[in-house]
Amino acid sequence: QPRRRNTKMANFPKALRRVATESWGEMAHAREAFRNLSRLEAQDVLALRETWTDDDTELLRQLDDRPGAWVDGALTTDAVRATLPTASSLSALLNRTSVAI
């Protein structure tokens, strides 16, 4: 008597190829995102009290304009600055013997 083929197993290679193809596309997207991030310098991503501008505040406003999204109360440049480290406090932190970033 001929063996009956398990239809779930018969479809497995096709499903595996589909998942592998989808995963490859996601990995390619992740690799591209990482490449873009790796081009950034510290000054591109660190916000300091001394360097924060009205333009930076406007970018936050465009990302999320809800009250309390970024600071307690109204979103103003001074309110954001008050939450940021100063250049000297960042320097003191980096001069410690061990820092995890």
Side-chain angles (χ1 to χ4, degrees), residues 53 66 78 93:
T53 66
R66 293 176 298 154
D78 288 337
L93 174 70

Side-chain angles (χ1 to χ4, degrees), residues 19-92:
V19 168
T21 301
E22 290 170 0
S23 295
W24 181 256
E26 290 171 7
M27 288 185 345
H29 178 72
R31 281 193 303 275
E32 181 61 26
F34 181 76
R35 273 195 292 276
N36 290 336
L37 283 174
S38 68
R39 294 182 189 118
L40 295 174
E41 299 290 333
Q43 62 267 22
D44 297 326
V45 294
L46 287 177
L48 299 173
R49 195 172 294 171
E50 296 88 348
T51 61
W52 193 262
T53 66
D54 291 333
D55 290 339
D56 298 320
T57 303
E58 186 54 35
L59 286 174
L60 292 183
R61 191 179 322 284
Q62 290 173 15
L63 289 170
D64 192 341
D65 196 22
R66 293 176 298 154
W70 302 104
V71 295
D72 291 333
L75 178 59
T76 66
T77 298
D78 288 337
V80 176
R81 276 189 187 133
T83 68
L84 298 174
T86 63
S88 61
S89 67
L90 179 62
S91 180

